[in-house]
Amino acid sequence: MLSSFRFLVPVAFVAAVAANPVSRSLVLHEQRASAPNGFVKIGAAPADQVLNLRLALVNSDMAGLEDSLYAVSTPNSALYGQHLSKDEVEEFVKPAPESVSIVNEFLAAQNVTAKSISPAGDWLAFSVPVSKANEMFDADFSVFQHEETGKQSVRTLAYSIPTELQGHLDLVHPTITFENPFAHLPVVSSPLSATAKEQNLTSRASVPSSCDSTITPACLQALYGIPTTLATENSSTLGVSGFIEQYANQADLTSFLKAQRSDLPSDTKFALQTLDGGSNPQDASDAGTEANLDIQYTVGVASGVPTTFISVGENFQDGDLEGFLDIINFLLNETNPPHVLTTSYGQNEDTISRALANQLCNAYMQLGARGTSILFASGDGGVGGSQSSSCTTFVPTFPSGCPYMTSVGATTGVTETAADFSSGGFSNYFGTPSYQSSVVSAFLSAQGSTNSGLFNTSGRGFPDVSAQGENVEIIVGGESGTVAGTSCSSPIFASVVALLNDRLVAAGKSPLGFLNPFLYSDAGKAALNDVTSGDNPGCNTNGFTARTGWDPVTGLGTPNFPALLSAVGL
């Protein structure tokens, strides 16, 4: 899936194609048998409706980049920690000159001008009406509606490309990939008092009894041994992704810190970066539950770590990927991207095409090779996917199936058990990576024939790890409340990683970067709290069951900061 290949096309033939596009032969490139579950076709798309299309060119050497990623991310490697520079990554990623030439010849023949939208030049963007898109790609762009939400989008179930573009053009988007109909947001559990009670969190000898019903930073410090001492390294930063007009409120953070982290300066602030027209208005009415959760449980847990809220607007350059690719390209374009990136959004794997999922996954590989730890919430629908209500086979989520990021599931309770909404399972697109092959094999042996035929036994298993995800107390618009979801868990685990990075950088060492080879090593596994009870029901089944070792409910377990500090050599 990662290998690239090229066809060398004679210049004379290219010129002939450009001069006579009508005679071009087309070959089917991508198709899906039907729209994803819940979508229905309404009718043909208006011929004059403008489509913003994106082309992904075949990369030069993704297999080589994968080798380099594992070399700098595997603890026993001689190159461990020697992360790649921006230029080094782009050398692997940039398309071959002949690919650029042939694709541009094709576009010129169609009187289309495209612009590059990625640092390595492997993504191009242009706009054409539906009638032109249908002609260029032998497509049938139609209007599809999601029955439950009413959202409409223009898609085709198949498209073709000229034969001379094979091996040079990876995909056209958006074509057979459908929008995510459900925003992955935390579920509001219950309201609390308008003003949270202040606590002294600096001297917890044991887990507070209140943690049985409400999770706060004090609970996490006690459960996971997270230190309260301030980070010291300004160069080791933590990024928090913001999408779908979710805004992080500074006043709410101040109130949260006064109530929950009185040992920290209450005027502690987070930085802001924006792209795609993003913003972060500060009216109380604009405060977002997800954004506030993510900021309060990074700033309020990763004590003193410089934290940046990255707000992605609605002017997407990546088509209807809703900024998922844009934010990675934005960070790849930086000389010093954040050492940790946490994202609490996702979608069902079957809504995205295999080729596009591979492209996004490869983007995470690029950022991981640069030294960024990428964490995503696994989803909140158990084995039913991302808050899915109906299914006949288990539904993996994306990007949790991608092997180059760290998927975070959820636990609940002081004696931790799996949260029943914690999405987990096995990808239908990506195979089991070598770093987890032994633990996945052990799980499948213990699983036996239970739920046989409902999931892909050769797929990449997720989540990788987990953290508390239920009854988590936050402040939104000045009001306290509790929320639940793996979107609580990802920023919590990311904060632990950020604090580890701070200690590593202070000791003159590299940040952890891509986490999974370390987490699945003997030292990494021993530094996590194994969660061995609970399950994640869905699709009219009990789902998977947490058990000793890795499982597709809680992964390898929850963090133990002192043990992890020792495992990374400090």
Side-chain angles (χ1 to χ4, degrees):
M1 191 179 305
L2 294 172
S3 62
S4 60
F5 59 102
R6 310 169 189 162
F7 286 106
L8 297 178
V9 180
V11 174
F13 179 64
V14 174
V17 168
N20 188 18
V22 176
S23 66
R24 292 176 298 119
S25 62
L26 298 172
V27 59
L28 181 66
H29 193 64
E30 283 193 285
Q31 68 175 332
R32 62 187 308 149
S34 60
N37 184 42
F39 286 88
V40 294
K41 182 177 177 180
I42 301 299
D48 59 353
Q49 181 172 338
V50 174
L51 297 178
N52 298 317
L53 296 180
R54 309 294 182 259
L55 302 182
L57 278 62
V58 172
N59 304 108
S60 292
D61 188 11
M62 296 311 291
L65 180 58
E66 182 184 43
D67 289 342
S68 294
L69 173 72
Y70 282 116
V72 302
S73 306
T74 303
N76 61 3
S77 166
L79 296 177
Y80 183 60
Q82 299 180 35
H83 299 116
L84 278 62
S85 68
K86 179 176 183 290
D87 289 343
E88 288 171 331
V89 167
E90 289 176 7
E91 195 62 29
F92 285 107
V93 176
K94 67 181 184 182
E98 61 264 35
S99 294
V100 175
S101 176
I102 290 172
V103 171
N104 282 331
E105 290 277 3
F106 161 68
L107 293 174
Q110 300 293 328
N111 295 315
V112 170
T113 301
K115 66 176 182 178
S116 175
I117 59 170
S118 64
D122 55 329
W123 279 88
L124 302 177
F126 63 93
S127 299
V128 292
V130 164
S131 57
K132 182 68 173 179
N134 283 338
E135 174 194 320
M136 290 174 68
F137 300 109
D138 192 26
D140 180 23
F141 281 97
S142 304
V143 177
F144 292 85
Q145 181 168 304
H146 188 254
E147 293 176 294
E148 187 173 339
T149 64
K151 291 182 180 179
Q152 290 189 348
S153 53
V154 174
R155 295 292 185 271
T156 181
L157 297 181
Y159 70 94
S160 300
I161 64 173
T163 54
E164 71 271 13
L165 295 187
Q166 287 185 292
H168 302 284
L169 180 61
D170 191 36
L171 62 87
V172 182
H173 171 75
T175 48
I176 68 170
T177 289
F178 282 67
E179 288 185 89
N180 178 21
F182 299 108
H184 181 175
L185 294 175
V187 178
V188 177
S189 303
S190 61
L192 297 179
S193 59
T195 303
K197 182 179 179 181
E198 294 189 10
Q199 302 180 53
N200 174 13
L201 305 182
T202 59
S203 58
R204 296 287 183 174
S206 60
V207 180
S209 59
S210 61
C211 299
D212 284 325
S213 58
T214 306
I215 293 296
T216 65
C219 302
L220 301 173
Q221 290 158 10
L223 283 167
Y224 301 148
I226 299 174
T228 60
T229 51
L230 291 176
T232 60
E233 304 304 308
N234 289 331
S235 65
S236 188
T237 58
L238 170 55
V240 176
S241 302
F243 296 95
I244 59 173
E245 298 182 317
Q246 280 280 309
Y247 305 124
N249 188 272
Q250 181 64 51
D252 283 342
L253 174 62
T254 298
S255 298
F256 181 81
L257 295 177
K258 285 181 178 178
Q260 304 293 352
R261 288 300 306 271
S262 58
D263 56 313
L264 292 180
S266 62
D267 61 351
T268 300
K269 292 180 168 54
F270 58 90
L272 175 68
Q273 288 183 306
T274 62
L275 64 145
D276 291 352
S279 61
N280 194 41
Q282 291 299 295
D283 290 345
S285 60
D286 289 319
T289 301
E290 180 59 70
N292 272 14
L293 163 64
D294 291 343
I295 282 296
Q296 289 168 21
Y297 278 83
T298 47
V299 175
V301 177
S303 305
V305 172
T307 301
T308 300
F309 182 66
I310 307 169
S311 179
V312 182
E314 301 292 305
N315 300 326
F316 307 127
Q317 298 301 304
D318 57 11
D320 287 325
L321 286 176
E322 301 178 359
F324 261 52
L325 178 62
D326 285 350
I327 191 173
I328 302 301
N329 282 333
F330 176 80
L331 296 176
L332 284 171
N333 209 33
E334 295 183 340
T335 303
N336 297 301
H339 287 170
V340 184
L341 178 68
T342 176
T343 304
S344 292
Y345 303 85
Q347 63 193 93
N348 291 340
E349 189 180 71
D350 63 0
T351 63
I352 188 169
S353 77
R354 187 183 296 268
L356 187 57
N358 194 51
Q359 278 284 339
L360 269 171
C361 189
N362 286 346
Y364 302 138
M365 172 165 51
Q366 295 172 52
L367 193 56
R370 296 280 304 277
T372 298
S373 301
I374 303 173
L375 298 93
F376 274 83
S378 70
D380 296 340
V383 293
S386 182
Q387 299 178 338
S388 177
S389 57
S390 62
C391 44
T392 55
T393 59
F394 293 173
V395 182
T397 58
F398 184 83
S400 283
C402 170
Y404 310 125
M405 45 69 66
T406 301
S407 174
V408 188
T411 62
T412 186
V414 170
T415 300
E416 290 190 287
T417 186
D420 61 7
F421 54 76
S422 183
S423 288
F426 298 86
S427 172
N428 290 322
Y429 288 174
F430 301 96
T432 309
S434 59
Y435 59 73
Q436 66 167 193
S437 59
S438 62
V439 296
V440 167
S441 178
F443 173 82
L444 292 175
S445 294
Q447 173 85 352
S449 61
T450 304
N451 295 323
S452 177
L454 297 181
F455 63 95
N456 177 22
T457 56
S458 62
R460 185 271 208 257
F462 70 95
D464 300 298
V465 291
S466 52
Q468 289 282 322
E470 195 159 18
N471 299 318
V472 176
E473 183 172 351
I474 64 171
I475 293 179
V476 181
E479 299 288 326
S480 295
T482 60
V483 292
T486 55
S487 52
C488 304
S489 312
S490 186
I492 290 170
F493 204 100
S495 294
V496 171
V497 176
L499 289 170
L500 291 171
N501 281 338
D502 176 75
R503 303 285 186 93
L504 286 166
V505 173
K509 299 186 177 186
S510 299
L512 290 168
F514 173 44
L515 294 170
N516 293 7
F518 161 68
L519 292 173
Y520 284 88
S521 70
D522 290 342
K525 288 185 291 187
L528 297 166
N529 306 311
D530 195 6
V531 179
T532 59
S533 63
D535 50 30
N536 56 353
C539 306
N540 298 308
T541 74
N542 291 326
F544 295 110
T545 299
R547 60 179 75 244
T548 299
W550 179 86
D551 56 71
V553 192
T554 62
L556 296 168
T558 60
N560 178 333
F561 186 86
L564 285 166
L565 197 62
S566 176
V568 299
L570 297 176

